[in-house]
Amino acid sequence: MSVSFPRPPAARSTRLRRASDVPAATVGRLPLYHRALESLLDQGIHTVSSQRLAELSGVTSAQLRKDLSFLGSFGTRGVGYQVAYLHSRIAEWIGAGSDLDVVIVGIGNLGHALASYRGLAERGFRVIALIDIDPSRVGLSVGVGEGTLRIRPLADLPEVARLAQIGVIATPDAAAQSVCDRLVEAGIRNILTFAPGVLTVPGGVEVRRVDVGLELQILAFRERQQRAVSA
Amino acid sequence: MSVSFPRPPAARSTRLRRASDVPAATVGRLPLYHRALESLLDQGIHTVSSQRLAELSGVTSAQLRKDLSFLGSFGTRGVGYQVAYLHSRIAEWIGAGSDLDVVIVGIGNLGHALASYRGLAERGFRVIALIDIDPSRVGLSVGVGEGTLRIRPLADLPEVARLAQIGVIATPDAAAQSVCDRLVEAGIRNILTFAPGVLTVPGGVEVRRVDVGLELQILAFRERQQRAVSA
DNA sequence: TAGATTGTTAATCGATTAACAATC
DNA sequence: TAGATTGTTAATCGATTAACAATC
């Protein structure tokens, strides 16, 4: 026999929701909404429903409303959302505008592409230094945003890392862990790596990995799966 | 009052598990295990426990064993896994070795980096064509794997897409949807895009997006969150 | 046999979807 | 008021973690 107690009423907090309450999955979608709202702004559209905004963002309207509900209540029932207002509120949450400094280590083809990628500046990131171990590359100029940056030697890493908030690792896999260690030692707490290997970091350091090979492998898996089904 | 019936014994199937039964999250981790096993092979290590392999892959041992259980039963209780055997079985599942053909559209800095990325060939992908709309780029040679490929005009897209299983979109955002449509029309069912915008595709077409800006924004969000906590 | 480690089951956790009362 | 659409709750789904019986 079990006895069920009546639940106490859910605590109602009036203060702003803390960032840590927002689910990771929601955080990952905020930039999608932000971008969709941007495009509506450009078109001079003032109001949008969750239905339409969800469509533009590639999610369901239920999910969009749920996601927004973690941030607060920004719409008007029966009407929808003010595009400019919602855009600015989301911008606030994802921190667009308040620039963060980035150092890129490993300036091969990929590092080069990253350094000259316009999307970074647009989203509030400033590439402040490029580092490479190869002496034949050190000193070369690479176009970054408006200006250019000179590639600096590995020895400069601690110095520049101390000025940055985010480290990007675009080296071969073999060098990634050692570069990672140096970044962490210099106080970097956020790392984006393009090397396929798993990085070991102390607690409190956030690592995200982008692995093109892995993405393709997942597609390949699905491709074979479909073939198997149709065969 | 509720009455509980005894469960029938779980159905025991002898046939191989179908790929569609493997959870997406598991599929995404198989390449990690594969890579970790590869490195053990290189070191001449013959046997490994779920504990150690999990550590090398950056997951928990429970998760590793659970993941493997979807594929079958490959270890020996009290002993662990034979590295070479497990490696070959996972290779089979993720389809490493059976080459798939890739066409890359948009050969700017990023497309260039992708085309010359060794990791692709290593994982069983063959880049068979490079396409760009810019006449000043068409005809240029780009090193791909062992050899080189000439950049071909957009007009060639339908022709080459018919020979490929995977399309990679590395164009600016504005061109992505139109390129995507042409790829799909040519019969491509698997697309990897680097453009931040959401792509609309018919059912049955799988799209994966790699968005460096988004990854950085998520890191930035966490960075600000930590600052807010410590402030 | 005793110790080790798998494969699997059950419990937990988190994210998505569906539905609808609130309200413009 | 009637129609529309949000914000929220409850139900569902899927993935992770913990624990342990099976077994080498």
Side-chain angles (χ1 to χ4, degrees):
Chain A
M1 279 291 132
S2 80
V3 180
S4 66
F5 295 97
R7 295 258 182 83
R12 268 274 186 159
S13 163
T14 56
R15 70 181 160 70
L16 202 63
R17 185 176 284 271
R18 293 188 330 134
S20 50
D21 296 338
V22 181
T26 295
V27 172
R29 282 186 297 264
L30 292 180
L32 297 181
Y33 306 149
H34 191 249
R35 201 175 300 128
L37 287 163
E38 202 119 48
S39 123
L40 290 171
L41 268 183
D42 288 348
Q43 293 168 60
I45 295 170
H46 295 106
T47 300
V48 69
S49 68
S50 62
Q51 180 69 220
R52 176 78 185 124
L53 182 56
E55 205 175 289
L56 293 170
S57 309
V59 303
T60 65
S61 69
Q63 183 156 77
L64 169 65
R65 292 200 302 278
K66 187 89 174 95
D67 282 340
L68 293 183
S69 77
F70 290 112
L71 273 47
S73 168
F74 306 123
T76 308
R77 289 166 203 240
V79 177
Y81 302 92
Q82 293 302 313
V83 173
Y85 178 64
L86 185 55
H87 179 261
S88 77
R89 295 311 305 267
I90 292 182
E92 214 172 277
W93 271 92
I94 63 181
S98 76
D99 286 10
L100 290 179
D101 295 328
V102 175
V103 51
I104 302 177
V105 185
I107 315 300
N109 278 315
L110 176 62
H112 213 101
L114 289 171
S116 49
Y117 175 42
R118 289 154 201 290
L120 296 190
E122 280 168 20
R123 299 202 222 184
F125 298 99
R126 221 171 10 220
V127 177
I128 61 162
L130 308 176
I131 302 272
D132 203 292
I133 198 177
D134 183 345
S136 73
R137 284 189 193 144
V138 171
L140 295 179
S141 281
V142 176
V144 172
E146 306 288 278
T148 64
L149 280 177
R150 246 171 229 293
I151 299 178
R152 305 175 63 166
L154 192 59
D156 288 1
L157 194 154
E159 180 188 335
V160 301
R162 238 171 283 281
L163 303 172
Q165 289 81 49
I166 297 176
V168 175
I169 301 177
T171 66
D173 203 19
Q177 182 65 59
S178 129
V179 167
C180 175
D181 293 344
R182 290 169 194 236
L183 288 170
V184 170
E185 204 174 332
I188 296 268
R189 289 278 156 283
N190 304 282
I191 292 174
L192 178 63
T193 177
F194 289 84
V198 173
L199 295 178
T200 305
V201 292
V205 176
E206 185 87 8
V207 175
R208 294 191 69 85
R209 181 164 11 119
V210 170
D211 184 342
V212 174
L214 189 143
E215 298 297 328
L216 284 174
Q217 282 190 307
I218 294 174
L219 282 178
F221 188 84
R222 298 287 173 213
E223 162 75 12
R224 292 200 191 81
Q225 185 177 321
Q226 286 186 348
R227 275 193 218 172
V229 168
S230 64
Chain B
M1 280 290 133
S2 80
V3 179
S4 68
F5 296 96
R7 296 259 181 84
R12 269 274 185 158
S13 162
T14 55
R15 73 180 159 72
L16 203 63
R17 186 177 283 274
R18 293 188 329 134
S20 49
D21 296 338
V22 182
T26 295
V27 172
R29 280 185 298 264
L30 292 181
L32 297 181
Y33 306 148
H34 191 249
R35 199 174 301 126
L37 287 163
E38 202 118 49
S39 123
L40 290 171
L41 268 184
D42 289 348
Q43 294 168 60
I45 295 171
H46 295 106
T47 301
V48 69
S49 67
S50 62
Q51 180 70 219
R52 177 76 185 124
L53 182 55
E55 204 175 289
L56 292 170
S57 309
V59 304
T60 66
S61 70
Q63 183 156 79
L64 169 66
R65 291 200 303 279
K66 187 87 173 99
D67 282 341
L68 294 183
S69 78
F70 289 113
L71 273 48
S73 168
F74 306 123
T76 308
R77 289 166 203 240
V79 177
Y81 302 92
Q82 293 302 313
V83 173
Y85 177 65
L86 185 56
H87 179 261
S88 78
R89 296 309 306 267
I90 293 182
E92 213 173 277
W93 271 91
I94 63 181
S98 76
D99 286 9
L100 289 179
D101 295 328
V102 175
V103 50
I104 302 176
V105 185
I107 315 299
N109 277 315
L110 176 62
H112 214 102
L114 290 171
S116 50
Y117 175 42
R118 289 156 200 289
L120 296 191
E122 279 168 20
R123 299 203 223 183
F125 298 99
R126 219 168 16 218
V127 177
I128 61 163
L130 308 176
I131 302 274
D132 203 293
I133 197 176
D134 183 346
S136 73
R137 283 189 194 146
V138 171
L140 296 179
S141 281
V142 176
V144 173
E146 306 288 278
T148 64
L149 280 177
R150 246 171 229 294
I151 299 178
R152 305 175 61 165
L154 192 59
D156 289 1
L157 194 154
E159 181 187 335
V160 300
R162 239 172 282 280
L163 303 172
Q165 289 82 49
I166 296 177
V168 174
I169 302 177
T171 66
D173 204 18
Q177 182 66 57
S178 131
V179 167
C180 175
D181 293 344
R182 289 168 194 236
L183 287 171
V184 170
E185 204 173 333
I188 296 267
R189 290 276 157 282
N190 303 282
I191 292 175
L192 178 62
T193 177
F194 290 83
V198 173
L199 295 178
T200 306
V201 292
V205 176
E206 185 87 8
V207 175
R208 295 190 69 86
R209 182 164 8 120
V210 170
D211 184 342
V212 174
L214 189 144
E215 298 298 328
L216 284 174
Q217 281 189 307
I218 293 173
L219 282 177
F221 187 84
R222 298 288 173 212
E223 161 76 11
R224 293 201 191 81
Q225 186 178 321
Q226 286 186 348
R227 275 193 216 171
V229 167
S230 64

